Amino acid sequence: MVGGALQIAGLLVGGIGMIGTFAVTGMPQWRVSAFIENNIIVFETIWEGLWMHCIRQANIRMQCKVYDSVLALSPDLQASRGLMCAGSVLSFLAFMVAIIGMKCMQCAQSSWQAKGYIILVAGLLFILSGAVELIPVCWVASTIIRDFYNPMVNVAQKRELGEALYLGWVSAFCLIAAGAIFCCFCRCCEKTRSYAYSTPTHYPTHSQHLYRKTESSYSKSQYV
């Protein structure tokens, strides 16, 4: 019962992390224009994402344009594209492996031990996808903070942390938490199986010895 609840909880948390990863990959709010010093044009907001940049004017109209070339992007955004795509694929693969390995799916005639190994693989994939997602999110965030406090950077080019970065941190945490849940479930199953296999040996008691001895003497007297 507890094992089934752990599997369902891990699958739900991992699903939330997977959906969040997909959303972060496509969202343009990685870098948001900062309204500081002389940059007080508040009716226009600039968003910069992995695939496009958008300009939103007075909460009425928004125009987006896909980047013309990957080489025109900064190195952190170039690397973030590949890493986020890899994280999305890994999270989806982990989610599917977790579904296959769940105890309630009754898949094929696979043994309990084989299902435990599948759950362990799903947990490791979840942890790996969360770590892969953390790298680009933290990299872009550190670049934004560094440029924000750099006096050599023009005020109009300074950016703030966008909503996609915060969602990326939450999604990565969900993926790592789901992986930890599945790994803990697999570890608990290993302990349960080892305890079940190591059953104590029952030795005959003194009363059993006495009963056998009486029975043997009785049979001999009958024979005589």
Side-chain angles (χ1 to χ4, degrees), residues 63-79:
Q63 296 179 345
C64 296
K65 183 174 185 288
V66 180
Y67 295 121
D68 296 329
S69 175
V70 180
L71 300 178
L73 299 175
S74 57
D76 56 341
L77 290 182
Q78 291 181 15

Side-chain angles (χ1 to χ4, degrees), residues 153-168:
V153 178
N154 188 11
V155 175
Q157 295 178 347
K158 291 184 178 182
R159 298 291 183 262
E160 292 183 353
L161 303 179
E163 292 84 353
L165 298 180
Y166 296 105
L167 181 59

Side-chain angles (χ1 to χ4, degrees), residues 9-130:
L11 193 66
L12 289 176
V13 175
I16 293 173
M18 179 189 66
I19 296 174
T21 303
F22 293 158
V24 171
T25 305
M27 288 176 63
Q29 295 96 333
W30 281 64
R31 295 176 174 177
V32 182
S33 56
F35 304 112
I36 55 176
E37 296 182 7
N38 296 328
N39 188 19
I40 57 174
I41 308 177
V42 295
F43 63 87
E44 185 175 271
T45 304
I46 299 176
W47 295 341
E48 296 178 3
L50 300 179
W51 312 96
M52 65 184 71
H53 68 277
C54 301
I55 299 178
R56 187 177 183 180
Q57 297 178 349
N59 297 328
I60 298 175
R61 185 178 59 179
M62 184 174 64
Q63 296 179 345
C64 296
K65 183 174 185 288
V66 180
Y67 295 121
D68 296 329
S69 175
V70 180
L71 300 178
L73 299 175
S74 57
D76 56 341
L77 290 182
Q78 291 181 15
S80 297
R81 274 191 174 187
L83 290 172
M84 287 304 299
C85 290
S88 300
V89 173
L90 286 174
S91 62
F92 179 75
L93 183 61
F95 188 79
M96 297 305 297
V97 173
I99 291 179
I100 295 174
M102 281 184 63
K103 180 182 178 181
C104 60
M105 293 301 295
Q106 302 295 334
C107 59
Q109 284 81 18
S110 57
S111 64
W112 226 101
Q113 186 176 7
K115 290 182 181 181
Y117 286 139
I118 295 175
I119 291 293
L120 180 60
V121 171
L124 295 176
L125 285 175
F126 271 124
I127 295 176
L128 180 60
S129 61

Side-chain angles (χ1 to χ4, degrees), residues 1 14 24 28 39 80 89 97 107-108 128 136 138 141 143 145 156 163 181 183 185 189 192 198 202-203:
M1 185 68 181
V24 171
N39 188 19
S80 297
V89 173
V97 173
C107 59
L128 180 60
C138 294
T143 303
I145 295 173
E163 292 84 353
I181 291 173
C183 290
F185 168 77
C189 292
T192 304
S198 60
H202 297 281
Y203 295 98

